[in-house]
Amino acid sequence: MTTAAPGEASPATADAAGRAPARPAARRGRPGRRRASLRMGLEILFFVGPALILFGVFVVWPIARAVQFSLYRWKGFGPLVDFVGLQNYVSVLTNEVFTDAFRHNMTIVVLSILVQLPVGLGIALLLNRKMRFQGMLRTIIFVPYVLSEVIAGVVWLQLLQPEYGVIDTVLGAVGISGPEEGWLGTPEVALYTVFVVLTWKYLGLAVLLFLAGLQGVPDELVEAAQIDGASWWQVQRRVTVPLLGPTIRTWGFLSMIGAIQLFDMVWILTGGGPANSTTTMATFLITEGTKRYNYGIATAASVILFAVALVLAVLYQIFVLRRDVAQADAGSRRVR
Amino acid sequence: MRTTTVVRAVAVGAALAVLTACGTGSDSSSDDASASTGSSGPVTISWWHNSNTDPGKGYYDEVAKTFEASHPGVTIQVNAMQHEDMLTKLDAAFQSGDAPDIYMERGGGELADHVAAGLTQDISESAKDAIETVGGSVAGWQVDGKTYALPFSVGVVGFWYNKSLFEKAGITSPPTTMDELNAAVDKLKAAGISPVSVGAGDKWPAAHYWYYLALRECPKQVLQDAVKSLDFSDPCFIKAGEDLQKVIGTKPFNKGFLSTPAQTGPTSASGLLATGKVAMEMQGHWEPGVMQGLTEDKKGLGEDTGWFPFPAVTGGQGDQSAALGGGDAWAVAKDAPPAAVDFVKYLLSDEVQKGFAERDMGLPTNPAAGGSVKDPALSGLLKVRDEAPYVQLYFDTAFGQSVGGAMNDEIALMFAGKASPQDIVEKTQQAADAEK
C-alpha cells in the first residue's frame, strides 16, 4: 500500500508516505484539490466498500429483519401478517424463564471475573518465571481453549454422568458422594457445574492474554524495584499487575461478552435444564424459535439480548476502558 | 480501539440476531408451472424421507424405481436424511417456500399450522381410496374434516421392560394397574435394581406420563374437545397431575433422570434399559430399534424385550385401554404435481406397505400389511394398537409445538418438584390463549 488514507491513527512513516504524493496536487490550486479529494473518496470507497457491503448484508440487514420479525406473531413459515406491536417483548420480559436466564448470564459474568481473573493471573505469573517444562505447561493450560466446544462438552457430559461417570466414580472411591441426581441433574448445582467446565475451557485464554501482557512489562522496572529491595511478591503487586491493567481490562470485556452470549456449552451439557436452572438468554431464544416455532418471541428475545450486550459493552467502555482509550488517543495524537 | 470495540459489540448482538433472522416471510412463490403441466409432460418429484439406513433406504429407492417404471415421464428424486437433519431442513424449506413435493408430517397442531400457512395440499378427493383403506388412523392428519396426509406408520407408547430383571425381582406378571406398578417398583428396588428410566432431560418422555394419566382420567369427548377448543378447564387435567405427583413420589426413576436424554448414548434412558441398568422405560414403538443401536452387539435387549400397556388408573373417567401414540404420514406440498399424490397412494398400497412391514420399518397402517410384520415385539404392538378403542395423538403434537412445548416444560418442572398440578394446566392454558 503506497498511499495510506490520512487521518488514520497510523505510524508516522506511513502518514508521511501518504502525504507525499498529495503535495504536488495542492500546488495546482483549487480544481486539483477537488480532484484529489474525489480521488481520496474513491480510494476510501474502494477499500472500505467490500467490508461495508459484507457488514450490511450479514450484520445490519439481519438485525433489521430481526427487529421486524419481533413485532409479529410468526411461526417461521407463511406470510408475515399478524402484527402484534410490542406484545412479544412484553411476553419475553414477563416470562420467568427469561428473567431467570438473564440472572444466570449475569451470574456467569460475575463468577468469571471473581474466579477466572485471580486464578488466571496467578497461573500467568507462575508460568512467566523461568522454570522447567515451561512450554509444556503453557500448552497444557491452553489446550482446552483450542478444543472444539462441542467435543469438550460431550466429554464433560460423559465424565459428569451420575453413577457411571468417571467423576462420581473417583469421588466415590475417596468416600465423597456427589449430589443424588448428579452434578448436571440437580437444579441447585447444575449452573455451578457448567461454570466449572467453562472455567476449565476458557482459563487458557486468560492465561495466554496475561502472559502476552507480561511481555510488555519492562525488565528495567522490575530490576529497579529489586534493587530497591522489593520482594518477588511486592514486584508483582506494585509493578507487574498494575502494568498489566489494560490487558486485564480487555480480557474482562471479552469474558463478559462471552458470558452474555453463552450458548454451546450449556446446550450440550444441560440443554438449559434441569428445571430451567441453567437456561441462558441464548438457549431461551433458540428453544422458543426452533423448538416451539414462536419466531416472533424468539426474535424479540434476540433483540433484547442484543440490547443488553450493547448497553453493557458501552458502559464497560465508558467506565472501565476509558483510561485505556484515552491513553491510546493521546498516543496517536502525539504521533501525528 | 474505540471503533473496534463498538463494532465488536454490534457484531456480537448481530451474530445472535442472525441466528433467528435467517428466514424470510415470502409467501410460497414456488413454481406453479409444474402443477399446470399435468401428468402428461415429464415431471420430477422430490421426496424426503428419514429411512437413511438399510434395509429402509434400499427399499425406498427400489419403490421409487418401480413407480418410475410404471409411470413414464415421472422422475422421483429420493432424498434420504437422518431424522433430525430432515426436520431442520424442512423448517428451512418451509421458510424459504421451497418445500419438497412429498415430505413427512406428524399431524395434529403442527399440520394445522402448515395448512393455515398454505404449505400442504388437500388430498381428501385425490387420494380417497387410500384414505378409506387406512381407516381411523387418518384422523390425526385431518384439519376441519379434510385430509392432508396419509399415515404410513402409527405406533403406541407403552412400557418396555427387561423380562429377566422382572423375574429376578420376583414379578410374575406385568402390572395392569397403577397400584401394581408401584408394587413392582418396590420389588425391583428391594432387589437392588433401578426400576424405571425416563429421559426427562428431553422433556417429552416425561410428558408422556402426564399424557397417559390424562388419557386415563379424562373421557374421550373431553380430550377431543380440548384439541379443538384448547380449553383445559376440566378437572380431570388437574387429576392427571395429582396422579403424576404420586408416581414421582415413589421415586421410581434412574439416578439423574432430570438431565437424562431420551435416546442418545448408552447413558440415555433407552441406553440404560438396553444395557440392563434399569428394568423398564415408557417409550414409543421405535424403542427396540433405538436399543439395538445403543448396544455393541446391535441386539438391544434381544430375548429379554417385553412390553406392557400403560396401567389402568382406578376410578379414572377415561378409557382404561385407550392408547397414546402417533406416527408419520406422507404429505404433499401445495404446488406439487398430481403425480406426487399418485406416488403417495402407491406408498400406501398393499404391496409397498407389506414390504415396509416385512423389513420391520414400522407399524403399517394398511390392514393388508398387518400380517407381514416379523418382529415379535412389533407385531404384539400392532395388535395392541388395532385393539385399542382409540389412539390419542401425543398431546404436544396434537396441540402444536407452542402449546405442547409449554405443557412439556411444566411437566418436566413437576418431575423436578417445581410445579403443581394446577401449574401445568395454567401454563398450558396460557400458551393456548396466546395462540387464539
Side-chain angles (χ1 to χ4, degrees):
Chain A
M1 207 168 73
T2 50
T3 51
E8 219 176 33
S10 50
T13 46
D15 217 0
R19 230 170 259 160
R23 218 166 269 150
R27 229 181 289 143
R28 258 183 264 132
R30 264 205 190 147
R33 198 181 293 159
R34 206 179 297 147
R35 246 179 59 198
S37 70
L38 182 74
R39 209 184 111 199
M40 201 167 76
L42 282 175
E43 255 173 38
I44 292 175
L45 199 70
F46 179 77
F47 286 111
V48 178
L52 217 55
I53 289 171
L54 287 177
F55 187 74
V57 170
F58 292 106
V59 179
V60 178
W61 174 243
I63 293 177
R65 287 293 278 182
V67 172
Q68 187 196 1
F69 289 155
S70 71
L71 301 174
Y72 288 82
R73 201 168 69 177
W74 187 53
K75 288 206 169 282
F77 44 76
L80 207 57
V81 285
D82 200 353
F83 185 81
V84 293
L86 294 176
Q87 199 188 305
N88 287 332
Y89 289 90
V90 174
S91 100
V92 170
L93 291 172
T94 53
N95 190 334
E96 252 173 65
V97 180
F98 185 80
T99 47
D100 279 353
F102 178 76
R103 239 197 12 252
H104 299 150
N105 278 115
M106 291 305 136
T107 309
I108 298 287
V109 169
V110 171
L111 280 178
S112 301
I113 305 278
L114 288 183
V115 176
Q116 290 174 11
L117 177 60
V119 175
L121 201 56
I123 294 175
L125 288 176
L126 283 177
L127 285 179
N128 201 37
R129 305 179 86 177
K130 291 222 158 38
M131 60 165 103
R132 279 178 134 199
F133 310 118
Q134 194 186 35
M136 199 178 77
L137 285 172
R138 284 182 181 184
T139 311
I140 289 174
I141 294 282
F142 195 60
V143 159
Y145 181 71
V146 185
L147 217 59
S148 144
E149 184 121 356
V150 176
I151 293 170
V154 171
V155 169
W156 275 98
L157 184 64
Q158 294 307 322
L159 291 176
L160 288 164
Q161 280 302 323
E163 224 168 341
Y164 311 108
V166 173
I167 290 174
D168 267 13
T169 312
V170 170
L171 287 178
V174 293
I176 303 168
S177 61
E180 202 193 340
E181 296 303 332
W183 297 99
L184 294 170
T186 311
E188 289 73 27
V189 297
L191 187 65
Y192 301 101
T193 311
V194 171
F195 174 71
V196 168
V197 177
L198 284 171
T199 302
W200 169 85
K201 181 95 175 61
Y202 288 101
L203 196 60
L205 178 70
V207 171
L208 188 86
L209 283 176
F210 297 157
L211 275 173
L214 285 171
Q215 307 310 310
V217 177
D219 286 342
E220 302 89 70
L221 288 182
V222 176
E223 280 162 18
Q226 278 167 345
I227 288 169
D228 287 345
S231 65
W232 182 82
W233 181 241
Q234 281 173 318
V235 171
Q236 308 305 326
R237 212 163 71 90
R238 304 271 180 205
V239 180
T240 316
V241 173
L243 283 172
L244 213 51
T247 313
I248 293 175
R249 288 190 282 273
T250 306
W251 168 82
F253 185 79
L254 292 175
S255 166
M256 180 183 80
I257 293 296
I260 292 169
Q261 295 183 76
L262 183 58
F263 174 72
D264 344 28
M265 193 55 95
V266 172
W267 198 247
I268 292 160
L269 288 179
T270 64
N276 298 326
S277 62
T278 59
T279 41
T280 66
M281 289 187 277
T283 65
F284 174 86
L285 75 90
I286 288 293
T287 310
E288 281 295 332
T290 63
K291 301 251 160 162
R292 297 211 191 154
Y293 295 83
N294 290 331
Y295 278 90
I297 290 176
T299 41
S302 77
V303 172
I304 293 171
L305 171 53
F306 172 59
V308 168
L310 188 68
V311 166
L312 283 177
V314 170
L315 287 179
Y316 195 88
Q317 184 78 29
I318 293 172
F319 292 107
V320 184
L321 288 175
R322 183 183 43 187
R323 237 172 15 153
D324 303 323
V325 173
Q327 271 168 12
D329 277 358
S332 64
R333 226 170 283 134
R334 260 202 309 280
V335 167
R336 206 171 296 157
Chain B
M1 185 68 193
R2 177 182 292 155
T3 45
T4 52
T5 314
V6 172
V7 166
R8 193 182 295 140
V10 170
V12 161
L16 286 154
V18 168
L19 283 175
T20 55
C22 45
T24 61
S26 77
D27 29 356
S28 52
S29 56
S30 62
D31 46 342
D32 288 355
S34 63
S36 58
T37 46
S39 52
S40 51
V43 281
T44 303
I45 296 165
S46 52
W47 175 33
W48 289 10
H49 68 75
N50 67 351
S51 296
N52 63 330
T53 51
D54 277 323
K57 187 172 187 291
Y59 180 61
Y60 275 158
D61 285 343
E62 200 183 300
V63 165
K65 287 235 167 61
T66 316
F67 185 80
E68 282 171 355
S70 60
H71 293 71
V74 177
T75 314
I76 295 180
Q77 237 175 31
V78 189
N79 207 338
M81 284 175 263
Q82 193 268 335
H83 183 69
E84 304 293 328
D85 282 354
M86 186 184 74
L87 296 184
T88 316
K89 283 188 182 137
L90 265 180
D91 285 349
F94 285 143
Q95 286 183 359
S96 64
D98 192 24
D101 294 321
I102 300 168
Y103 66 94
M104 278 167 71
E105 272 285 1
R106 285 175 294 196
E110 195 177 318
L111 173 68
D113 288 342
H114 290 161
V115 169
L119 298 167
T120 313
Q121 199 173 118
D122 174 9
I123 55 169
S124 315
E125 284 306 314
S126 49
K128 210 170 181 180
D129 297 345
I131 293 167
E132 269 166 28
T133 315
V134 170
S137 306
V138 92
W141 287 267
Q142 286 175 327
V143 180
D144 298 332
K146 287 176 189 155
T147 308
Y148 289 89
L150 286 174
F152 59 92
S153 173
V154 171
V156 292
V157 172
F159 278 96
W160 294 93
Y161 72 100
N162 186 325
K163 283 182 185 166
S164 66
L165 285 183
F166 265 45
E167 208 174 295
K168 218 166 119 188
I171 304 163
T172 44
S173 62
T176 56
T177 63
M178 288 312 279
D179 292 335
E180 284 180 33
L181 182 70
N182 290 340
V185 164
D186 288 342
K187 277 186 185 169
L188 284 162
K189 275 187 179 170
I193 300 163
S194 180
V196 190
S197 67
V198 59
D202 280 336
K203 294 178 184 163
W204 57 266
H208 281 176
Y209 278 87
W210 190 85
Y211 300 173
Y212 244 129
L213 289 163
L215 202 58
R216 296 279 181 263
E217 291 286 4
C218 301
K220 184 181 179 184
Q221 197 56 45
V222 172
L223 291 175
Q224 281 183 339
D225 291 347
V227 171
K228 284 213 182 74
S229 63
L230 294 180
D231 174 11
F232 301 93
S233 56
D234 196 286
C236 69
F237 292 109
I238 299 273
K239 277 184 110 176
E242 288 166 358
D243 290 347
L244 180 55
Q245 271 183 327
K246 278 181 213 154
V247 173
I248 298 166
T250 64
K251 294 194 182 247
F253 302 116
N254 59 299
K255 241 185 159 187
F257 65 91
L258 288 178
S259 58
T260 305
Q263 37 188 238
T264 39
T267 47
S268 65
S270 299
L272 291 174
L273 180 65
T275 51
K277 297 276 200 290
V278 298
M280 56 182 139
E281 188 204 359
M282 188 168 84
Q283 262 300 1
H285 58 280
W286 51 80
E287 186 70 355
V290 170
M291 287 199 290
Q292 282 158 17
L294 290 172
T295 46
E296 249 176 297
D297 57 9
K298 302 285 169 212
K299 283 189 183 145
L301 270 184
E303 299 281 290
D304 281 334
T305 316
W307 191 90
F308 64 89
F310 194 86
V313 174
T314 323
Q317 298 297 302
D319 199 315
Q320 300 307 311
S321 47
L324 179 76
D328 294 310
W330 298 124
V332 178
K334 187 87 175 177
D335 304 320
V341 182
D342 292 339
F343 184 62
V344 167
K345 283 194 278 191
Y346 176 61
L347 285 174
L348 264 297
S349 66
D350 296 1
E351 183 194 342
V352 176
Q353 279 264 291
K354 270 182 191 161
F356 176 82
E358 277 162 15
R359 284 164 185 80
D360 291 326
M361 289 164 69
L363 297 171
T365 49
N366 185 332
S372 307
V373 176
K374 277 193 190 143
D375 187 279
L378 283 183
S379 67
L381 220 54
L382 196 64
K383 218 173 126 227
V384 173
R385 183 195 80 190
D386 292 340
E387 281 169 6
Y390 73 101
V391 175
Q392 169 63 46
L393 187 62
Y394 315 117
F395 287 174
D396 48 359
T397 310
F399 298 142
Q401 284 101 329
S402 182
V403 180
M407 181 188 265
N408 290 0
D409 264 17
E410 216 55 27
I411 298 170
L413 280 180
M414 174 176 272
F415 272 70
K418 294 192 190 250
S420 66
Q422 285 80 8
D423 288 339
I424 296 176
V425 174
E426 266 168 35
K427 284 287 160 71
T428 309
Q429 191 65 59
Q430 254 177 37
D433 291 344
E435 286 284 286
K436 282 172 191 168

